[in-house]
Amino acid sequence: MKIDQFAENDNRAVYLLSLGAAETVTGSKHLLKTPELNLLIDCGLFQGIKSMREKNWEPLPVDPSSIGAMILTHAHLDHCGYIPLLVKNGYRGKIYMSKPTRDLTELILRDSAKLQEEDAHKANKHGYTRHSPAKPLYTTADVEAALRYFEPVDAGKPYRLSDHIQFQLYPGGHIPGACSVAIDCYHKTIVFSGDIGRYHSELFPLPVHAAKADFVIMESTYGDRLHGAGNTGAELAFIIKDTIFNKGSMLIPCFAVGRAQEVMHLLYKLKFQKDIPVEIPVFLDSPMAASASKTLVKYPEWITIAPKEVSRMFSGLTINQDYEGTEKIIKRKGSKIVLAASGMLTGGRVLEYLKHYITDPKNTILIIGYQAEGTRGRALLNQTHEIKIHGQYYAVKARVKEIGGLSAHADQAELLTWLRDFEVVPPHIYLVHGEPCAQEALRVKIKDELHINPIILKQDQKEFLFDIETNMV
Ligand SMILES: [Zn+2]
């Protein structure tokens, strides 16, 4: 249904419409529909299971040209990956974001377009497509057209969008440049959490947000679990030493932006402290992760370590740029640690390593980030016996380990801390960006501990927030 077909008191009401990341963790798109301006917060791709990915090909239930402005919370693909299509389909407003997010989003979108172009090319060449010819969801040219609407802004400063609407970004931890957004809208404050970072991060500052909120739309990825209070470094060192003892290698699938840098930093520290053998080779097989790491140096105010320490992260680490290099690393004898994208094993070079490492019990696959439903990473965590890569099945014999402490997302306790950090607990809380079990656990916990019953938003649900004349909620 087109949202313009709903409509009573639309000239007086502010609505929230969930166009993605509703009862799932990808496709973040939240529309604030106000009498003055329609404002989109995030514009991400759906990822994971096929039925989810197919949603990227469906038109939005709202005309992109009717959206006046957009704010991007951070550079992950599930928050920014649909932007080229939004612009292609008629959006002409500004896209506001922090400065590091601007740089990282360009990297991520160019990479996304390139992968889609390559996939379409391969599908056409080998004839494994139902669509003839197979087409990319968007191209590099579409990304370039979208970049023209990017408007980097400073966190901590208000920006006016219209007579009654202004917004401000607050650093949210998670990855460089990630923010929560507070929108002052007709004298009420609506906070979108974006992805909430950790309260114990090696690299990123504590997540912060506006002091007060009338409405909060918050993520709930880990609404049902705790990452554990263990020493993450010691845990990682133990698994590495154990793998070396078994004469195996370790593969760490990681998101190129955020996770890769945090693990690089931790590995450097472990070597420096001699908690792991200094001579164990570490490979970063992700040119995008290497480029993303440079943003840490460019924007030191967004991280908690000195730029000098960022350069040290690269010592004792070999960055690979091309596929020939990947082959060489795979064939290299002896134990090694490989960091490669994609973080959920959905594509990219990590699959080349997985094919070679997964069938040998000496090796370890270390999962450190969230693995969405339907991804190979989730299947491994669910102890699948085989895994399909590029049309072939591989028996899962390598050990699969997980370190929750390296996650970029707040756990249940941290999500509650984030809510308690408001001067007064927000009276209206909406949960997004979580799978149903996690969301339900968090809903009950918030209700029991903070005495507010949050609403779990559904896909395309249009939620009345308030009447601008009566202020009635
Ligand atoms: Zn994220």
Side-chain angles (χ1 to χ4, degrees), residues 82-96:
Y82 194 85
I83 289 174
L85 282 181
L86 188 80
V87 172
K88 190 177 179 180
N89 294 329
Y91 177 74
R92 292 295 177 264
K94 287 182 176 167
I95 304 172
Y96 299 94

Side-chain angles (χ1 to χ4, degrees), residues 73-79 174-175 178 194-196 219 255 257 408-409 433:
T73 61
H74 68 288
H76 275 153
L77 200 62
D78 61 320
H79 291 256
H174 187 56
I175 64 167
D195 283 358
I196 301 171
E219 70 125 319
F255 292 97
V257 174
H409 286 268
H433 201 292

